[in-house]
Amino acid sequence: MSSSRLTSVDDNEAIMFKEIQLSDVFPDSKTFVDSIPKQPMAQIAALYQVEKLKPDFDLEAFVHANFELPQAVAADFKTDPNQTVEQHINQLWDVLTRKPDATTDHAAVSSLIPLPNPYVVPGGRFREVYYWDSYFTMLGLQASGRWDLIEGMVNNFAYLINTRGFIPNGNRSYYEGRSQPPFFALMVDLLAQHKGNAVYETYLPALVKEYEFWMSGAPQLTADSPSHRRVVRMADGSILNRYWDDIAAPRPESFKEDYELAAEAGANKANMYRHVRAAAESGWDFSSRWFTNADDMKTICTTDILPVDLNALLFNLEKTLAHIYKTTGNSAEAEKYSRLALLRQQALMNYFWNEKTAFFHDYNIAQQQQAPVLSLAAVFPLYFQMVEQTVADKVAHKIVQNFMQAGGLTTTLAHTGQQWDAPNGWAPLQWVAIQGLRHYHHNTSAEEIKKRWVALNRTVYQRTGKLVEKYNVYDTSLLGGGGEYELQDGFGWTNGVLLALLAE
């Protein structure tokens, strides 16, 4: 169901949408926004206003009669117990691949944003492509030699940048207010490994547009007006970035959860919605990283937080642009982006590094101090080789001493019930940590993380026949949990990282 028309509380469609989403028809709010109306929405909404007044009205029956409900991806896929995990993943690529989307009148009433090339979805309730997930999925496609899919997905993301001005969280209209961690430059790097350096020049315009999206409003920042959308001017003049969402309303795909959270908090609801949406842009939805009280989601303050991982990713984008301009002979632009990367690198040490804890912290601009939560976001500066060896050594020591568990690395040290906290471990963060440690010659630690993570993935696969979205790294006999929805299997980035590690 398209969310583009849900803008007016006086609109029959918006009233119907709200009442259905606040009911218990679907345990998962995402189900309804992924549904497709069987007749024009205006007709269904008008019919709803009449039918709901009848004493025998059955809301669930009404929804099923008027909407085509989505199916979970790979829900009926049966694992062959005789297959190795590598064979299982290679078979799953085709199951998780979506064909190019038809741009028809039917698409106009669907929330799906059509894409011109095939793409791999994560699986389960995630029936569409996701931005940062896709990079880690591509690592596995690389190991499988599926360069056709990789190139098609990179072209899809370039298409979204060129037609939408940025890469949305996923190819759904209800994600239009936000993006996700900017991994597009790394996708281009990956494709260049296969097709050569000419790839960089091909995607240069899209890379520049992506950078402009994240830096929108930066030239206008002043000491009196220090923030705009995703950019923040610090007291020393440094420009750093935060996560944001342009819409201050409940997420359509998590409408009931957001509506009830804001009602319970009783604070400024628009601010609450924006903090929640910004956390969704981070990909870490949700984590104590974004809370002033680690155990209370009502204290979420995402747009007050400058995240260390986001700023490391944008450093990489600046370095990538500098490299491309240098190779194409544009020295002025090359110097500009090199200078921007250097300034961000210096700001990283000024604002995120804590000598006492020997770790990188996010920075809270409202409190003018570092946030207390320790998280695996601290490995991103190592992944992008932003720091001196002595700093990397301290981070590596902390990772091994505090984050290493039986099944790999825990996401944070806080047990809050949020899915991006302990006891969960996630494939993308294992990859970033392993590669980051290797960059600074902590190979033994990197290999130990790899060994534990691979063993956990294999154990769960042998026990359940599934590769899942997240894992319990503290107790390997238990599955990962927490968050707004049930544990999902499929699963794109788990498959990709595991296959890449096994292929080494």
Side-chain angles (χ1 to χ4, degrees), residues 71-82:
Q71 299 301 310
V73 177
D76 56 355
F77 179 79
K78 297 291 186 291
T79 302
D80 181 348
N82 297 315

Side-chain angles (χ1 to χ4, degrees), residues 380-485:
F380 277 76
L382 278 64
Y383 186 67
F384 293 116
Q385 302 180 66
M386 296 177 71
V387 301
E388 299 292 336
Q389 183 69 43
T390 53
V391 171
D393 291 345
K394 292 174 182 177
V395 173
H397 177 75
K398 197 89 167 184
I399 292 293
V400 173
Q401 290 296 113
N402 296 77
F403 287 79
M404 182 99 77
Q405 303 298 330
L409 299 179
T410 181
T411 307
T412 72
L413 307 181
H415 293 256
T416 64
Q418 300 297 338
Q419 64 174 351
W420 286 86
D421 283 324
N424 289 337
W426 294 76
L429 301 181
Q430 312 299 314
W431 178 266
V432 171
I434 290 166
Q435 303 306 329
L437 292 176
R438 286 173 175 170
H439 288 325
Y440 290 92
H441 314 295
H442 289 275
N443 296 318
T444 301
S445 298
E447 288 307 306
E448 186 61 28
I449 296 165
K450 172 183 170 179
K451 184 180 80 172
R452 295 185 188 197
W453 180 254
V454 168
L456 175 57
N457 282 212
R458 285 189 185 279
T459 298
V460 172
Y461 172 71
Q462 288 160 4
R463 192 168 75 236
T464 67
K466 299 176 186 294
L467 291 167
V468 293
E469 181 188 19
K470 55 186 178 275
Y471 291 81
N472 186 322
V473 295
Y474 284 76
D475 185 341
T476 58
S477 68
L478 300 176
L479 292 175
E484 296 181 315
Y485 52 84

Side-chain angles (χ1 to χ4, degrees), residues 21 26-34 125 251-257:
Q21 287 292 63
F26 302 112
D28 184 348
S29 295
K30 191 174 185 299
T31 305
F32 187 53
V33 289
D34 290 357
R125 73 196 286 270
R251 293 167 296 158
E253 78 282 8
S254 298
F255 188 90
K256 185 175 183 179
E257 293 85 349

Side-chain angles (χ1 to χ4, degrees), residues 177-180 213-214 227-231 241-248 271 274-282 302-305 310:
R178 64 180 183 268
S179 186
Q180 266 194 335
F213 164 78
W214 285 97
S227 63
H228 177 73
R229 299 181 78 209
R230 293 165 178 81
V231 287
N241 288 76
R242 63 182 175 179
Y243 289 112
W244 185 257
D245 190 307
D246 294 323
I247 302 167
N271 281 349
R274 180 161 278 129
H275 288 316
V276 168
R277 284 169 166 266
E281 181 170 84
S282 80
T302 319
T303 66
D304 294 335
I305 303 291
L310 172 59

Side-chain angles (χ1 to χ4, degrees), residues 37 55 114 149 236 256 316:
L149 265 175
D236 65 358
K256 185 175 183 179
N316 177 67

Side-chain angles (χ1 to χ4, degrees), residues 161-162 200-210 212 325:
I161 292 171
N162 290 328
Y200 288 112
E201 196 168 350
T202 300
Y203 294 102
L204 175 59
L207 287 163
V208 171
K209 282 184 182 177
E210 161 127 299
E212 290 171 347
Y325 279 119

